[in-house]
Amino acid sequence: ISQLCGRGILLDGGRISVHGATADAIKAYLVSRDSNAVTPVGLRHDREGDGRARITGLAVNSDSTGTSAVCTGDRLRFDLDYTLADRGGTPGFHLGLYDMFGIQLIHMSSRTAGAAFVDLGLSGRVTCVIPKFPLPPGQYRLNAAIMWDGRLADRVESAAILDVESGDYYGSGDTSAIDYGKCLVEHEWLRVADVRQMSVAGGEPG
């Protein structure tokens, strides 16, 4: 949006609340949306869906520390409480992590992960686990949704805010590079051959 528009307008209840530079309008929109995250998700009214299912609770915990404090590289557990209007069909649960500019970085889907939740009770809890949290230090928004038979049953934006601290993702003791990029991945560096060995063999360094 900021690349396409020089100015922006933010509406609040049908009235213009911000009219100015695009960056200012975007910032005001994100602040107003994320301010709802302080309200428990079960009490939120700013939600979408047909109401056949409802997200009643959402908690994020680090299994590494046993607390809600989150560090890069931690094993994270997302506990999602729900209620269902009936037992028909197979609900699918979704979680999305976004940066503070609204860019989605991670999408977690129970169906994509192969978890078929059949015969769920009318209320209960499902848990999503990330074995090694791959995002660098910063603040992130967590959106939550339930799909049912291809239809949106419930969706809450900014259901929670994650404040992520620095952690030893690679287990090397060196955390100097974890602020680079949007996401960390497991990788290896291998010494195959040095330049002198490749020259003798008639090869070229890669």
Side-chain angles (χ1 to χ4, degrees):
I1 295 175
S2 59
Q3 294 178 347
L4 297 175
C5 304
R7 299 183 67 78
I9 295 175
L10 178 63
L11 299 178
D12 184 5
R15 296 183 176 181
I16 296 177
S17 60
V18 175
H19 183 197
T22 305
D24 294 337
I26 293 174
K27 182 178 180 180
Y29 168 70
L30 294 174
V31 169
S32 65
R33 181 179 57 184
D34 295 339
S35 64
N36 292 324
V38 298
T39 303
V41 67
L43 301 178
R44 294 271 295 273
H45 298 291
D46 57 320
R47 54 208 313 148
E48 304 173 68
D50 60 18
R52 191 177 177 191
R54 186 178 179 88
I55 300 165
T56 59
L58 182 61
V60 183
N61 290 285
S62 169
D63 283 350
S64 302
T65 63
T67 70
S68 58
V70 175
C71 294
T72 302
D74 281 356
R75 176 183 170 89
L76 287 195
R77 189 180 75 251
F78 301 83
D79 295 325
L80 189 151
D81 297 330
Y82 66 87
T83 58
L84 307 178
D86 57 71
R87 293 177 179 272
T90 304
F93 298 87
H94 301 262
L95 295 172
L97 278 165
Y98 296 73
D99 67 15
M100 300 312 289
F101 296 100
I103 299 174
Q104 186 170 14
L105 304 174
I106 295 176
H107 182 78
M108 297 167 281
S109 164
S110 60
R111 292 187 178 181
T112 302
F117 293 117
V118 296
D119 298 325
L120 289 175
L122 294 181
S123 64
R125 171 179 292 178
V126 295
T127 296
C128 176
V129 174
I130 298 181
K132 202 171 186 180
F133 190 67
L135 298 184
Q139 192 172 72
Y140 303 93
R141 294 189 299 105
L142 179 65
N143 292 0
I146 301 175
M147 297 291 294
W148 200 330
D149 296 335
R151 293 176 137 187
L152 180 63
D154 193 26
R155 182 174 185 270
V156 182
E157 287 194 358
S158 297
I161 300 294
L162 268 67
D163 288 304
V164 179
E165 302 295 332
S166 179
D168 188 5
Y169 179 86
Y170 297 107
S172 64
D174 184 353
T175 62
S176 61
I178 64 172
D179 289 326
Y180 295 102
K182 292 285 188 180
C183 187
L184 289 82
V185 296
E186 292 277 12
H187 62 279
E188 293 183 72
W189 288 87
L190 304 175
R191 178 178 175 179
V192 178
D194 62 29
V195 174
R196 180 177 300 175
Q197 290 173 322
M198 296 187 73
S199 298
V200 172
E204 293 293 334

